[in-house]
Amino acid sequence: LDFLHYAAQNNLDCKKIRTYVNSAIVLDKNKIDFYESGEFLNLSDYKYAFIRVKTMGSQLTSIFCEILNDLKINYNDKSNIEHTMGDEKITQMVRFAINKIPIPKTMIFSDKSFNKNIEVFRKNFTFPCVMKTNGSKGRAVWKISSEEQITKIIEDTKKEIYMVQEYIPNEYDVRVVVAFGKIVGAIERHSSDGFYNNVAMGGITKVANLSATEKKLSLAVCKIMKLELGGVDFVRVADGIKFFEVNKGPVVYGFQD
């Protein structure tokens, strides 16, 4: 408060942000919108960010730093961009958006900040939608039909960060395995229950044929994530493809033959 008081006395426009407690991020058509307690905040209006502390809920702070880097806004402590979950699916969505990789419409929030940005959610999403947190093999992915279901998942799973994405109806998704800058195989993963395409969740596989664009973008996402081995997941839509994630330790079910 002393700093903010000093800034006000010297006509410095400052904004206090509590990323873990109040913030949410919406990714739509490679556009990144930042919200603080439901209020849109144009980060480009600011020239510098002073990050006071790195503590509980630091993945959102790390994602905030990814956005600052993209906007070429300097900040005091570059270590804040490092996070143990910095290569997982939620941070991946931000890096993909920054690099113009097509993804589903996405809202990122913490266990503390969802209710404070509930109107942002209502403005951007309808049901059903898809909710995810950090995890693997489809075990941290849910098809959502109500706001109450989102709240219950937050209460039950007790994770620090989540995302909601638009639901894209599909008969299958595509898994592409990339190794050392080359595509070594691709399969379609067909759901056995109408939602989960993951082979670990009962999905059925068949060989996939890739277009030139699909090959190019699959290689690009592994390069963005600095992976020599990756399992890239995307879904085909009417106007192209949208990427779900790239797995840094992909299982090879369905590739054996």
Side-chain angles (χ1 to χ4, degrees):
L1 290 178
D2 289 342
F3 175 81
L4 293 176
H5 179 70
Y6 174 83
Q9 286 184 325
N10 288 272
N11 297 316
L12 296 175
D13 182 15
C14 293
K15 176 73 174 178
K16 182 180 180 181
I17 296 172
R18 300 181 69 192
T19 52
Y20 176 50
V21 177
N22 297 327
S23 299
I25 299 162
V26 175
L27 314 174
D28 186 23
K29 298 181 176 64
N30 300 319
K31 185 172 179 286
I32 302 174
D33 288 338
F34 187 88
Y35 294 86
E36 182 76 356
S37 296
E39 176 189 355
F40 171 71
L41 189 63
N42 187 354
L43 297 179
S44 296
D45 289 342
Y46 297 86
K47 304 299 182 185
Y48 192 87
F50 177 74
I51 301 173
R52 183 180 173 207
V53 65
K54 183 177 182 179
T55 183
M56 186 176 180
S58 56
Q59 189 174 358
L60 256 177
T61 301
S62 173
I63 289 172
F64 180 67
C65 291
E66 297 267 2
I67 297 170
L68 293 178
N69 281 350
D70 180 53
L71 295 173
K72 296 180 171 55
I73 298 172
N74 201 11
Y75 53 99
N76 59 303
D77 184 356
K78 301 301 187 291
S79 70
N80 278 282
I81 202 167
E82 303 295 335
H83 194 276
T84 55
M85 294 293 178
D87 56 358
E88 295 292 338
K89 60 173 71 77
I90 297 177
T91 301
Q92 286 180 16
M93 291 299 102
V94 177
R95 293 185 185 173
F96 292 172
I98 288 171
N99 286 279
K100 313 303 181 189
I101 298 295
I103 60 172
K105 189 174 188 178
T106 300
M107 177 176 171
I108 299 169
F109 51 89
S110 76
D111 58 323
K112 305 292 185 185
S113 68
F114 176 70
N115 285 332
K116 295 179 181 179
N117 293 278
I118 189 70
E119 293 302 327
V120 177
F121 170 80
R122 291 169 178 167
K123 178 182 176 182
N124 286 279
F125 293 91
T126 58
F127 297 108
C129 57
V130 178
M131 184 173 178
K132 301 178 182 180
T133 188
N134 294 321
S136 62
K137 299 182 180 179
R139 290 190 291 258
V141 180
W142 303 269
K143 189 176 180 180
I144 301 297
S145 58
S146 69
E147 292 174 13
E148 291 75 17
Q149 189 179 357
I150 294 175
T151 300
K152 189 173 189 312
I153 289 171
I154 292 173
E155 292 173 350
D156 290 347
T157 57
K158 296 178 172 60
K159 300 285 188 177
E160 74 172 57
I161 191 169
Y162 301 85
M163 66 180 174
V164 168
Q165 294 184 307
E166 64 176 308
Y167 173 62
I168 302 175
N170 63 87
E171 295 182 0
Y172 65 90
D173 66 12
V174 178
R175 160 68 60 88
V176 182
V177 172
V178 175
F180 304 103
K182 295 183 179 180
I183 292 172
V184 297
I187 56 172
E188 295 177 2
R189 305 187 303 177
H190 294 253
S191 173
S192 60
D193 66 0
F195 179 62
Y196 292 101
N197 294 327
N198 308 68
V199 178
M201 301 289 280
I204 301 166
T205 65
K206 61 181 289 188
V207 174
N209 296 312
L210 302 178
S211 70
T213 297
E214 290 170 346
K215 292 177 182 178
K216 179 181 178 181
L217 290 176
S218 294
L219 293 171
V221 297
C222 283
K223 187 174 182 180
I224 289 166
M225 296 307 301
K226 301 178 181 178
L227 293 176
E228 292 189 343
L229 173 65
V232 180
D233 296 340
F234 65 79
V235 65
R236 289 165 172 154
V237 294
D239 57 350
I241 58 177
K242 292 188 178 182
F243 285 84
F244 290 145
E245 66 176 311
V246 52
N247 297 271
K248 60 182 182 293
V251 296
V252 293
Y253 306 136
F255 287 90
Q256 291 91 333
D257 297 332

